[in-house]
Amino acid sequence: QVQLVQSGAEVKKPGASVMVSCKASGYSFTGYAINWVRQAPGQRLEWMGWINPGGGNTESSQKFQGRVTITSDTSASTVYMELSSLTSEDTAFYYCARGRYGDPLDYWGLGTLVTVSS
Amino acid sequence: EIVMTQSPATLSVSPGERATLSCRASQSVSSNLAWYQQKPGQAPRLLIYGASTRATGIPARFSGRGSGTEFTLTISSLQSEDFAIYYCQHYDKWPPWTFGQGTKVEI
């Protein structure tokens, strides 16, 4: 069965960076893109970006350009999302979700809570 | 960026009743519209894609309609496990693939 297992909760100070991982199993890793979606407390879901592990191409929302880096390791079936220059507004649950470009997000990880606090 | 607007913000219904949720896009997204259900402390779950196609394992009481800019999700007879927040999302043409602000379905 398809599973996306994310890394554990993180607490970071303002200005720092955080890296969240998402390990995929149960399907062909290079056949589907992995998207990153975040949800701040009480807020709507927010699409951040995606990567196609098969081709390595990636794209991020203009809101996060320059701050977010999405990479993949096909040998480990794992995608990484790094967010830099953190502020308190980046406190949120970060989800990885499977979905090809222009397709819905059909499987989701359980989420990783990132807390930014001095 | 396409703005997705959902209404109402909160829908109060009784078990067994019908619930109709609305989603509007600021420009046409064709039928590239998905609905997700999110319960407290859980990740979102895909319910509907292509505006009207139920995802695998989704009960028939969930149905979606619409195209272009106006969409609806109907839950024909609410069960206790259906009380949750529902989000629409477009995935038309190019990113960002934005979400609505959600509709909370409560008892």
Side-chain angles (χ1 to χ4, degrees):
Chain A
Q1 70 282 21
V2 176
Q3 281 193 306
L4 299 174
V5 178
Q6 298 186 223
S7 50
E10 302 266 10
V11 179
K12 295 292 183 181
K13 293 192 181 302
S17 297
V18 68
M19 178 174 282
V20 180
S21 67
C22 172
K23 182 173 177 58
S25 62
Y27 70 97
S28 172
F29 179 65
T30 56
Y32 292 82
I34 292 290
N35 296 255
W36 288 93
V37 177
R38 79 174 186 180
Q39 188 173 38
Q43 300 301 309
R44 73 176 70 190
L45 299 160
E46 184 173 34
W47 183 84
M48 299 179 67
W50 70 286
I51 188 166
N52 173 13
N57 45 315
T58 181
E59 186 171 359
S60 59
S61 170
Q62 196 163 17
K63 175 176 179 177
F64 301 99
Q65 280 183 4
R67 285 212 301 143
V68 69
T69 304
I70 303 173
T71 57
S72 67
D73 179 349
T74 54
S75 66
S77 298
T78 301
V79 171
Y80 303 90
M81 186 280 298
E82 183 176 28
L83 188 63
S84 61
S85 304
L86 294 169
T87 72
S88 58
E89 294 186 351
D90 294 314
T91 293
F93 276 94
Y94 289 77
Y95 296 98
C96 62
R98 190 186 82 161
R100 293 192 177 103
Y101 189 96
D103 274 355
L105 306 178
D106 58 358
Y107 288 92
W108 294 64
L110 294 181
T112 296
L113 178 60
V114 175
T115 303
V116 183
S117 173
S118 56
Chain B
E1 174 175 315
I2 297 175
V3 178
M4 307 301 293
T5 303
Q6 293 183 241
S7 61
T10 303
L11 190 58
S12 299
V13 295
S14 298
E17 288 187 341
R18 183 187 192 90
T20 301
L21 291 65
S22 295
C23 174
R24 173 177 292 177
S26 61
Q27 63 190 75
S28 176
V29 297
S30 186
S31 295
N32 297 311
L33 190 284
W35 290 93
Y36 300 87
Q37 177 194 68
Q38 187 178 33
K39 296 180 181 179
Q42 296 186 18
R45 177 174 72 144
L46 178 66
L47 296 177
I48 300 283
Y49 63 94
S52 61
T53 302
R54 281 190 302 277
T56 303
I58 301 304
R61 64 181 181 272
F62 292 91
S63 63
R65 295 190 64 180
S67 66
T69 62
E70 301 283 345
F71 302 88
T72 58
L73 172 70
T74 300
I75 312 170
S76 60
S77 177
L78 272 154
Q79 306 297 302
S80 58
E81 61 266 29
D82 300 336
F83 292 96
I85 299 176
Y86 293 82
Y87 294 95
C88 63
Q89 179 218 11
H90 90 84
Y91 49 95
D92 188 57
K93 296 187 181 71
W94 46 78
W97 292 304
T98 47
F99 294 83
Q101 78 277 30
T103 291
K104 181 179 181 180
V105 177
E106 64 176 23
I107 301 174

